[in-house]
Amino acid sequence: MSKNPSEPNNFIFKISLSVLDHLGRHLYRSFSTVLGEAISNSWDADAQSVRIYLDRETSNLTIVDDGIGMTPSQFQDHFLKIGYSKRKGNITRSPSGRPFIGRKGIGKLALLSCAKRVTIVTKTEETGWTGGVIDNAGLDSAITEDLTPQDYLLDKYDSGHISSYSSHLIHGTVIHFEGLNEAVKHTDEYLRKIIALSFRFSIIDSTFKIFYQDTEITFDDLEDLALGTQFIWNINTPEDPFALYIQSKFDEKSEVISLPAPVEVRGFLASVKKPRLLKVTGTDERVGVDLFVNGRVREKNILKHIPTARIPEDYLYGQIHFDSLDDGTDRFATGREGIVADDPIYSAFLNALLKHIVNPIVNQWDALRRKHKETGDPENKTITTKQRKLEELVNEVSDEYVKELTTGSKEKQKVRDWIDELSEDAQFNIGAYTDCFVSENLVRKYIDDSAISTDSMKEQIKEYRRQSVEHKEKANISFVIRENDSDLSYLSMDQLTFLADAKGKDKIKDAYLHRHATEYKPLRDAMAHTARLTPESKTRLQSVYDNIKGRIIKLLTESE
């Protein structure tokens, strides 16, 4: 097929500047994401330090690093080339061996989203300062006029704006933001916490440090979170620096658990003493379980993708490192604030995380909380609801005896040991007393409702009343003790059941309730006097009570 010689054949692509908006100039809603891109660029540039300065009076932000910097040609052909990737030619690491964070070459657009003007200046050890200014108002106008990149020139930078930050640098990069849109509303404490939570580059390279207002960001910025932490599960690594820091703040009600898992991850999950402790002070933001790839958080609160709908989830936070996500495939969303949801590797990771890490932790959490005398997970049915309530009541009462003692003292630990020894008996006795109270009063109600006469017990009742008056006088008590001062209120279970059984037709066959109550009385009396019962007594008391309960239910059913 012949060509028409009149048709041109030198066609080329021409890109409108509006592509910047389509690619994501306005997609970066989170200021922490903007900081993330700048810090990640510093990491990729082999910087040993990145310094962040915020001037609230002028609404200006400056980020300075001592990385290798860029030559004028690199600034033009690499930094200002949207879509340029450092990984070209299958290069995945910096000259010092750090794994690259950048991939698509569009993360730099985040730097344009948070201020009116952005100045970028940079230098290498061999070249002087070079750079320019991106004025967002001018860029918006150029986009409106549908200009191409070749038609839009950066403004010249004013060295006076950056001299105080750049004069000491032999090489590095300075990014200066004028007229911030968002950051000034955040407190310094908030920004330090967010930075401390979002970057764990130190686990790869301990020489990399981040400073805010010339003070290094350290784990101490998260001290309140550490102090509020109760349990830590170390996942496939016993020496996560952050986890070790948290453990250094532990008290006697805290514990560390090793959790090996058949998942190619490392890190830790932790639970706090109260869910409110996960809230970042002064904000609506909440600390969660974050996913890190090569030291940078890539997905916040990943449990939202695999919710358990269990109470322990409200207490959990942590940091899971899964560097294998950073392979030859780009799985990160354009906004750099998440991972593509339907990616098969990511989906498999989430399923394995739920099965081998989250579910075991959720199931262990209840036993650990109960072990340390804390409210656990009522949805965990390894114990009955009744037993759980008894534990909680005994724990509340016991805590009143130890909370005033000095933390860590020998006396406090001694009392805790005593309480641990008494706890099981206390739970049994409280439950048995409740059973006794309810069953005896139901029998009283039954006798009263059935109009059964108490004449056969008149002499005993008279003597009990006399003793009651005598005891009150000795105690100098003038008020009424019994809510219902009827004759029945003075009778115990064996006497009450004798009256209740009087309604039976066959005194031999139907006198089951009284027979059981006679056996119940010495056990009940010992328990009522707070004596600690032997295992045999506990077993027998429970068996007798079960028989009594069954008989009372039968009586009430027949009455109905």
Side-chain angles (χ1 to χ4, degrees):
M1 185 173 182
S2 62
K3 288 185 178 180
N4 186 337
S6 64
E7 290 183 354
N9 58 4
N10 294 319
F11 295 111
I12 62 171
F13 277 110
K14 294 191 73 175
I15 305 296
S16 168
L17 282 173
S18 62
V19 76
L20 299 182
D21 285 344
H22 299 315
L23 284 174
R25 187 165 68 111
H26 297 301
L27 286 180
Y28 296 87
R29 304 299 183 191
S30 167
F31 182 71
S32 61
T33 305
V34 174
L35 284 178
E37 289 301 333
I39 293 171
S40 295
N41 285 341
S42 301
W43 167 264
D44 287 350
D46 274 339
Q48 291 194 343
S49 69
V50 54
R51 297 176 181 270
I52 302 165
Y53 301 95
L54 176 61
D55 187 334
R56 297 182 184 278
E57 291 185 5
T58 61
S59 293
N60 289 350
L61 172 74
T62 307
I63 301 176
V64 184
D65 74 50
D66 59 0
I68 58 177
M70 292 174 279
T71 65
S73 61
Q74 288 171 333
F75 180 66
Q76 174 63 68
D77 298 333
H78 296 179
F79 186 83
L80 292 179
K81 184 177 181 180
I82 307 303
Y84 174 82
S85 174
K86 305 180 185 76
R87 304 188 185 212
K88 193 173 182 180
N90 202 30
I91 298 173
T92 60
R93 292 182 177 269
S94 70
S96 72
R98 291 175 179 172
F100 278 144
I101 298 298
R103 173 181 288 275
K104 292 181 178 179
I106 61 173
K108 64 200 71 173
L109 293 177
L111 307 178
L112 309 182
S113 67
C114 67
K116 294 177 182 177
R117 286 170 57 86
V118 183
T119 300
I120 304 105
V121 294
T122 183
K123 67 176 294 190
T124 67
E125 196 166 356
E126 293 78 23
T127 61
W129 289 103
T130 188
V133 179
I134 300 171
D135 187 313
N136 270 306
L139 187 55
D140 287 339
S141 177
I143 290 172
T144 300
E145 296 174 13
D146 200 24
L147 298 182
T148 65
Q150 290 78 7
D151 298 323
Y152 177 77
L153 297 177
L154 269 62
D155 294 343
K156 295 186 180 299
Y157 69 88
D158 182 350
S159 59
H161 284 171
I162 62 167
S163 59
S164 60
Y165 303 106
S166 62
S167 58
H168 66 288
L169 290 176
I170 300 174
H171 46 76
T173 300
V174 179
I175 306 176
H176 181 68
F177 302 86
E178 300 174 62
L180 293 174
N181 302 329
E182 178 188 357
V184 288
K185 75 179 183 182
H186 295 307
T187 65
D188 287 348
E189 180 185 12
Y190 168 85
L191 290 174
R192 294 185 68 89
K193 286 181 186 296
I194 291 302
I195 294 170
L197 285 168
S198 299
F199 302 97
R200 296 295 313 286
F201 292 131
S202 60
I203 68 171
I204 303 172
D205 186 343
S206 60
T207 66
F208 186 76
K209 301 184 184 302
I210 303 173
F211 296 81
Y212 178 78
Q213 311 291 47
D214 281 328
T215 302
E216 185 181 355
I217 303 288
T218 68
F219 293 143
D220 285 335
D221 291 295
L222 303 172
E223 183 180 30
D224 54 350
L225 178 62
L227 290 171
T229 300
Q230 187 169 23
F231 307 124
I232 282 185
W233 288 265
N234 284 316
I235 303 165
N236 293 340
T237 171
E239 297 184 354
D240 186 291
F242 188 21
L244 291 174
Y245 171 80
I246 295 169
Q247 292 168 40
S248 72
K249 305 294 181 179
F250 270 6
D251 59 26
E252 68 269 17
K253 283 194 170 186
S254 302
E255 195 164 333
V256 181
I257 305 96
S258 177
L259 182 63
V263 185
E264 191 185 347
V265 301
R266 66 191 191 284
F268 70 91
L269 257 63
S271 72
V272 289
K273 298 168 185 175
K274 302 289 182 183
R276 59 179 171 78
L277 297 173
L278 290 177
K279 186 177 179 182
V280 179
T281 306
T283 73
D284 293 329
E285 189 155 345
R286 187 175 178 277
V287 181
V289 178
D290 298 335
L291 174 63
F292 286 73
V293 179
N294 290 332
R296 176 183 172 181
V297 65
R298 284 302 196 176
E299 181 83 63
K300 296 184 74 67
N301 191 24
I302 56 175
L303 294 191
K304 65 179 178 284
H305 299 303
I306 47 173
T308 65
R310 296 278 297 277
I311 287 175
E313 189 180 330
D314 295 333
Y315 290 74
L316 293 179
Y317 76 95
Q319 299 185 345
I320 301 296
H321 297 265
F322 185 33
D323 295 340
S324 295
L325 275 180
D326 188 10
D327 56 13
T329 302
D330 185 6
R331 299 182 168 87
F332 305 110
T334 302
R336 323 313 285 167
E337 295 179 319
I339 299 170
V340 177
D342 59 355
D343 178 80
I345 301 297
Y346 184 51
S347 297
F349 155 76
L350 289 176
N351 291 334
L353 182 70
L354 178 64
K355 179 180 179 181
H356 298 294
I357 297 175
V358 177
N359 280 341
I361 286 175
V362 166
N363 291 330
Q364 291 175 21
W365 182 85
D366 178 62
L368 287 167
R369 290 277 289 190
R370 289 169 45 226
K371 172 183 174 182
H372 292 279
K373 314 302 182 188
E374 299 281 355
T375 301
D377 178 9
E379 295 179 7
N380 189 328
K381 300 305 180 184
T382 54
I383 63 171
T384 66
T385 301
K386 177 181 176 181
Q387 182 63 37
R388 187 178 296 279
K389 295 298 182 184
L390 288 171
E391 275 190 2
E392 292 173 1
L393 177 58
V394 170
N395 291 341
E396 287 293 328
V397 173
S398 300
D399 196 50
E400 295 178 2
Y401 289 90
V402 296
K403 65 183 178 182
E404 299 300 328
L405 298 175
T406 304
T407 300
S409 67
K410 291 183 178 179
E411 291 77 12
K412 187 165 190 172
Q413 187 55 50
K414 184 187 295 182
V415 173
R416 283 198 180 278
D417 291 342
W418 288 345
I419 287 174
D420 287 344
E421 183 183 348
L422 295 170
S423 179
E424 184 178 336
D425 286 324
Q427 293 169 38
F428 181 87
N429 281 21
I430 290 171
Y433 173 78
T434 304
D435 293 339
C436 177
F437 176 86
V438 172
S439 60
E440 286 190 15
N441 278 285
L442 282 175
V443 175
R444 289 189 179 99
K445 293 287 187 183
Y446 170 77
I447 293 170
D448 186 57
D449 186 68
S450 300
I452 298 174
S453 173
T454 61
D455 288 350
S456 61
M457 299 286 178
K458 270 189 175 181
E459 291 303 317
Q460 292 98 318
I461 293 170
K462 183 178 179 180
E463 176 60 19
Y464 293 152
R465 284 185 181 276
R466 186 195 67 76
Q467 290 177 7
S468 176
V469 172
E470 180 183 334
H471 294 156
K472 284 178 61 179
E473 288 176 350
K474 284 183 179 180
N476 196 27
I477 294 175
S478 58
F479 53 84
V480 176
I481 295 177
R482 284 173 168 80
E483 177 70 26
N484 180 2
D485 198 45
S486 67
D487 288 350
L488 289 173
S489 71
Y490 288 89
L491 300 180
S492 60
M493 177 64 98
D494 58 326
Q495 294 163 325
L496 290 168
T497 55
F498 180 82
L499 294 174
D501 280 338
K503 199 177 179 184
K505 294 178 180 178
D506 188 325
K507 299 297 183 188
I508 303 300
K509 289 180 62 178
D510 292 341
Y512 296 131
L513 187 53
H514 179 59
R515 289 178 180 177
H516 290 307
T518 301
E519 185 178 1
Y520 187 66
K521 181 173 173 39
L523 299 170
R524 180 259 197 198
D525 287 348
M527 177 270 299
H529 286 89
T530 67
R532 297 176 65 186
L533 303 183
T534 63
E536 294 82 1
S537 298
K538 289 180 182 179
T539 302
R540 190 59 181 166
L541 181 58
Q542 185 62 53
S543 174
V544 171
Y545 170 70
D546 288 341
N547 289 325
I548 289 174
K549 181 172 68 173
R551 177 62 177 159
I552 290 174
I553 291 172
K554 184 178 179 182
L555 281 175
L556 297 176
T557 304
E558 290 173 350
S559 176
E560 183 182 29

